[in-house]
Amino acid sequence: MPMNEMAAVIKSCISPTAICKVMFEYQQYEEFFFPVAISDELFLSVNDRDFRLDGFTVRQLSDVISAAPIKGTYLKIHQAEGNLSRLSLPPINIKSWRHAFNSILASGEIISIEGYAPNSVNKYFIVGRVLAVGEQGIRIRTFDGSGAWAENPITVPYKNIFSMTFGSSYITTYSKYVKPYPEIKTPTPISNR
């Protein structure tokens, strides 16, 4: 299925509301989303996790290998559970990764990012807070499994990212138990006495 057809399928699920079943080139299983916005490069969706709305995700259209709308019983269950009335569009610009991350930087959201390690086929998953957004990538301070913030931020190139998620139950729950965020301290000038 050509990318423009897949984009049209995803867009058709925005209005009228439908679930979109999507297969990506980087994984062996389909995921279910409620698309809420689409650009030429990216789409923003609400995650569907076992009939629960579970945060937002931004994905690249170029990674989609198939997309299909799901209506019928599955959608009726979501409607009966009240999920369709809870769908929302967050204030995030998805024109490009740079625009999306600028929106996240302004919000202060803790996010997760998935992608490929540079010059590798190995995938990574990180959780943290965006500190800076540049032309080619972002600077992010991550935290580890013990809830400790990394001492140094890392740079993540846009070309290595395939997913950015925020507001999920995993992120919001884990974030409550992370150690206090390390403030970035600027040197205090020495005054002349």
Side-chain angles (χ1 to χ4, degrees):
M1 178 183 275
M3 190 169 94
N4 62 340
E5 287 180 30
M6 288 181 282
V9 168
I10 293 168
K11 189 173 187 174
S12 76
C13 293
I14 296 173
S15 183
T17 302
I19 298 159
C20 195
K21 176 173 67 173
V22 182
M23 175 71 88
F24 297 98
E25 67 182 17
Y26 48 80
Q27 63 194 30
Q28 300 298 311
Y29 57 90
E30 298 167 325
E31 290 192 67
F32 296 83
F33 305 105
F34 282 100
V36 293
I38 190 167
S39 72
D40 291 340
E41 294 179 27
L42 305 170
F43 67 101
L44 171 65
S45 299
V46 176
N47 294 315
D48 167 27
R49 300 281 186 257
D50 302 323
F51 300 105
R52 289 182 307 118
L53 303 181
D54 192 19
F56 298 92
T57 189
V58 179
R59 306 289 179 105
Q60 296 183 121
L61 287 168
S62 60
D63 291 333
V64 176
I65 56 175
S66 70
I70 298 177
K71 297 180 181 175
T73 302
Y74 199 85
L75 187 61
K76 287 178 185 174
I77 292 170
H78 271 287
Q79 187 168 10
E81 290 293 312
N83 290 335
L84 299 186
S85 64
R86 289 193 291 271
L87 292 174
S88 63
L89 177 61
I92 182 169
N93 183 335
I94 59 164
K95 183 177 178 181
S96 67
W97 279 127
R98 184 175 184 201
H99 286 86
F101 283 110
N102 269 320
S103 297
I104 291 297
L105 176 63
S107 74
E109 286 270 353
I110 291 180
I111 61 168
S112 68
I113 300 173
E114 295 177 77
Y116 288 104
N119 305 313
S120 174
V121 295
N122 296 325
K123 296 178 191 172
Y124 68 83
F125 174 83
I126 57 175
V127 182
R129 183 170 282 144
V130 176
L131 301 178
V133 177
E135 290 289 327
Q136 303 298 317
I138 62 167
R139 297 280 289 163
I140 183 170
R141 177 167 275 152
T142 61
F143 59 82
D144 62 20
S146 67
W149 288 96
E151 191 169 315
N152 297 311
I154 59 171
T155 300
V156 180
Y158 300 132
K159 67 181 181 179
N160 296 100
I161 298 171
F162 58 69
S163 170
M164 185 263 287
T165 301
F166 59 98
S168 70
S169 59
Y170 176 85
I171 294 168
T172 55
T173 302
Y174 216 128
S175 298
K176 290 191 299 188
Y177 301 96
V178 173
K179 293 171 179 59
Y181 187 73
E183 295 299 323
I184 299 172
K185 296 181 175 141
T186 54
T188 305
I190 300 172
S191 60
N192 293 334
R193 293 185 185 209

